């Protein structure tokens, strides 16, 4: 054991020798900094293209690194002197001005320049000790650089998440002004057409937002997402969202990112400025979807018009009265009478024909016309329910 401790102490210079080398090293530090910056200029064209302010920041970092090496060599066990001190002199903006890869290149260049200077300006007896020391110290600096960029990325990610949540909240509240558009652009939003809001249950897991962003980008869609209470709100944009059916189709690829329960797709709007209309319908649809337990997942808000109307959504009531009942009333009374009788007769062709004193083929023709006019087929159980509610609301409105 004693021999081990003795060999460990003999592995490096004595304290007196170390102090003498450190003094000689400190005297040459200015020359080393100048050589390091000159080497950066020669090796890296992108460094030469930086403006004077950013070059001065990098020069300060290089000088801090070399001075830190001198202090560290004087006492390598001192906890106050670490590789992290190298980047303490640089402003945070430096991490945005140059990439991590470029920082690694600068560290490598600085170490190479210092090693060259050590062989040129330091006495021969000092070089072996300094070579070992610079190898250890460069490792500390490399770890410090990685920590700086990791911390910057973490802070940027946290800020982006807060900013994205603010944008989504503004969309839900109908406050999408130029400021919100600018923030969305900062987050990577590029779509200028076909925007839709999708709302479902929050899956209550940490990577839910990452999942929905990944799935949306695989479909080449712009995406903004946030968790609000127990809901996951997703704003999508892109050419693929041409109409309501296309939007529902695209939303099926995001189902895995949501929690259990209904997923509602709002109507397609033209721009992010108009997304509040899609969000309003989606929120109403999510609230009303419980009344249709067998609804598809996802489901469009237009498919939930009856449930939305019954839950108090005035927009849904007007849509049924105006867009479904209105065209029927405008055509002729035969279609309204036929639809009412058909629904009252339990969707029986023969019973309807007898009640109207017409041939069953006439009933079939009129039912096809109702489908053409309204977009809903009286012979489909679900769509006949939509038509029944539309008849009621249309008569109430009249």
């Amino acid at each position: 054991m004693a021999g081990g401790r003795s060999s460990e102490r003999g592995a490096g210079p004595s304290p007196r020798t170390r102090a003498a080398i450190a003094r000689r090293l400190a005297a040459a530090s200015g020359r080393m900094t100048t050589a390091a910056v000159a080497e950066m200029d020669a090796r890296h064209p992108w460094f030469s293209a930086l403006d004077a302010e950013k070059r001065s920041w990098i020069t300060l970092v290089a000088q801090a690194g070399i001075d830190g090496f001198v202090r560290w060599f004087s006492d390598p066990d001192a906890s106050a002197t670490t590789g992290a001190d190298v980047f303490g002199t640089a402003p945070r903006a430096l991490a945005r001005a140059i990439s991590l890869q470029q920082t690694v290149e600068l560290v490598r260049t600085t170490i190479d320049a210092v090693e060259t200077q050590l062989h040129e300006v330091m006495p021969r007896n000092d070089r072996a000790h300094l070579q070992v020391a610079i190898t250890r110290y460069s490792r500390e600096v490399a770890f410090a650089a990685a920590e700086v960029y990791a911390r910057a990325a973490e802070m940027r990610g946290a800020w982006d998440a807060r900013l994205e949540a603010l944008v989504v909240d503004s969309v839900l509240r109908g406050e999408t002004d130029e400021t919100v558009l600018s923030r969305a652009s900062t987050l990577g939003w590029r779509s200028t057409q076909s925007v839709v809001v999708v709302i479902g249950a929050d899956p209550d897991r940490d990577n839910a937002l990452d999942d929905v962003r990944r799935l949306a980008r695989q479909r080449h869609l712009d995406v903004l997402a946030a968790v609000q209470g127990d809901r996951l709100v997703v704003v999508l944009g892109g050419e693929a969202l041409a109409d309501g059916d296309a939007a529902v189709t695209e939303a099926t690829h995001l189902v895995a990112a949501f929690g259990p329960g209904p997923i509602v797709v709002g109507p397609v709007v033209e721009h992010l400025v108009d997304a509040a209309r899609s969000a309003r319908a989606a929120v109403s649809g999510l609230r009303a979807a419980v009344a249709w337990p067998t609804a598809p997942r996802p489901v469009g808000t237009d498919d939930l018009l009856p449930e939305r109307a019954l839950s108090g959504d005035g927009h849904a009531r007007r849509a049924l009265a105006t867009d479904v009942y209105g065209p029927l009333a405008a055509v002729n009374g035969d279609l309204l009478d036929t639809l009412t009788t058909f629904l009252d007769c339990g969707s029986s062709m023969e019973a309807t024909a007898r009640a109207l004193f017409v041939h069953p083929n006439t009933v079939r023709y009129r039912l096809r016309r109702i489908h053409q006019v309204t977009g809903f087929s009286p012979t489909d159980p679900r769509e006949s329910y939509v038509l029944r509610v539309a008849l009621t609301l249309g008569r109430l409105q009249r």
Side-chain angles (χ1 to χ4, degrees):
M1 294 292 292
R5 288 194 297 269
S6 175
S7 61
E8 186 176 324
R9 287 195 299 269
S14 66
R16 180 177 297 179
T17 302
R18 183 181 293 276
I21 295 174
R23 286 193 296 271
R24 291 190 288 271
L25 192 61
S29 64
R31 178 174 176 178
M32 292 179 184
T33 301
T34 302
V37 174
E39 191 68 17
M40 294 175 195
D41 209 10
R43 286 193 191 184
H44 309 299
W46 59 263
F47 176 78
S48 304
L50 294 175
D51 58 43
E53 183 181 30
K54 293 184 179 64
R55 286 167 61 94
S56 69
W57 291 346
I58 294 173
T59 301
L60 286 175
V61 172
Q63 180 67 61
I66 293 171
D67 291 344
F69 174 58
V70 174
R71 292 192 300 273
W72 180 85
F73 184 82
S74 300
D75 187 2
D77 296 326
S79 59
T81 306
T82 65
D85 298 332
V86 174
F87 298 95
T89 58
R92 292 182 179 178
L94 182 60
R96 297 191 296 269
I98 62 175
S99 66
L100 176 59
Q101 179 62 39
Q102 291 171 330
T103 302
V104 171
E105 292 175 357
L106 294 183
V107 170
R108 183 182 294 116
T109 301
T110 302
I111 297 301
D112 291 346
V114 169
E115 289 181 337
T116 300
Q117 289 297 308
L118 292 179
H119 285 81
E120 291 181 359
V121 303
M122 298 302 291
R124 184 182 300 274
N125 292 337
D126 296 348
R127 295 173 189 172
H129 300 305
L130 290 171
Q131 185 63 52
V132 174
I134 194 66
T135 300
R136 291 178 56 192
Y137 185 72
S138 63
R139 182 183 62 186
E140 297 291 332
V141 172
F143 282 130
E147 183 180 356
V148 167
Y149 277 85
R151 190 162 52 247
E154 184 177 1
M155 292 176 62
R156 185 167 56 249
W159 168 248
D160 286 351
R162 289 194 295 271
L163 187 63
E164 189 169 7
L166 286 173
V167 172
V168 172
D169 183 65
S170 297
V171 168
L172 287 177
R173 289 188 285 113
E175 300 176 356
T176 315
D177 54 16
E178 289 299 326
T179 301
V180 174
L181 294 179
S182 177
R183 290 172 177 172
S185 178
T186 301
L187 294 167
W189 184 271
R190 297 291 179 267
S191 285
T192 58
Q193 60 180 353
S194 299
V195 178
V196 70
V197 175
V198 184
I199 302 181
D202 172 25
D204 194 21
R205 60 175 186 269
D206 293 338
N207 60 343
L209 294 178
D210 293 334
D211 286 347
V212 76
R213 294 186 191 108
R214 174 179 52 81
L215 293 170
R217 285 164 184 160
Q218 286 176 356
R219 305 296 300 173
H220 306 290
L221 298 172
D222 285 347
V223 58
L224 297 168
V227 173
Q228 292 203 336
D230 59 353
R231 303 179 305 187
L232 174 58
V233 182
V234 182
V235 184
L236 299 175
E239 295 181 358
L241 308 172
D243 52 36
D245 291 339
V248 172
T249 299
E250 292 296 326
T252 59
H253 299 282
L254 310 182
V255 168
F258 288 86
I263 301 172
V264 180
V265 183
V268 178
V269 296
E270 294 183 357
H271 196 274
L272 187 60
V273 172
D274 308 313
R277 181 160 57 88
S278 182
R280 183 173 57 244
V283 170
S284 170
L286 187 66
R287 183 174 60 248
V290 65
W292 187 12
T294 58
R297 190 171 184 263
V299 60
T301 53
D302 286 349
D303 294 327
L304 288 165
L305 282 175
E307 289 78 13
R308 289 170 55 200
L310 294 174
S311 68
D313 186 341
H315 297 282
R317 289 199 300 268
R318 284 189 292 273
L320 287 170
T322 304
D323 301 336
V324 180
Y325 178 86
L328 282 178
V331 174
N332 58 59
D334 290 341
L335 294 187
L336 277 177
D337 290 343
T338 301
L339 176 60
T340 302
T341 305
F342 181 74
L343 295 176
D344 290 343
C345 290
S347 301
S348 168
M349 295 279 186
E350 291 73 13
T352 303
R354 288 194 299 270
L356 295 174
F357 303 102
V358 296
H359 194 277
N361 286 340
T362 302
V363 175
R364 292 188 180 90
Y365 168 76
R366 291 177 181 177
L367 294 179
R368 286 196 298 270
R369 284 286 295 143
I370 291 169
H371 190 190
Q372 292 171 355
V373 171
T374 65
F376 296 97
S377 172
T379 59
D380 179 89
R382 170 65 190 178
E383 295 183 10
S384 68
Y385 173 60
V386 177
L387 291 168
R388 169 70 81 180
V389 177
L391 283 175
T392 302
L393 293 171
R395 289 166 179 157
L396 288 173
Q397 186 182 65
R398 293 184 67 183

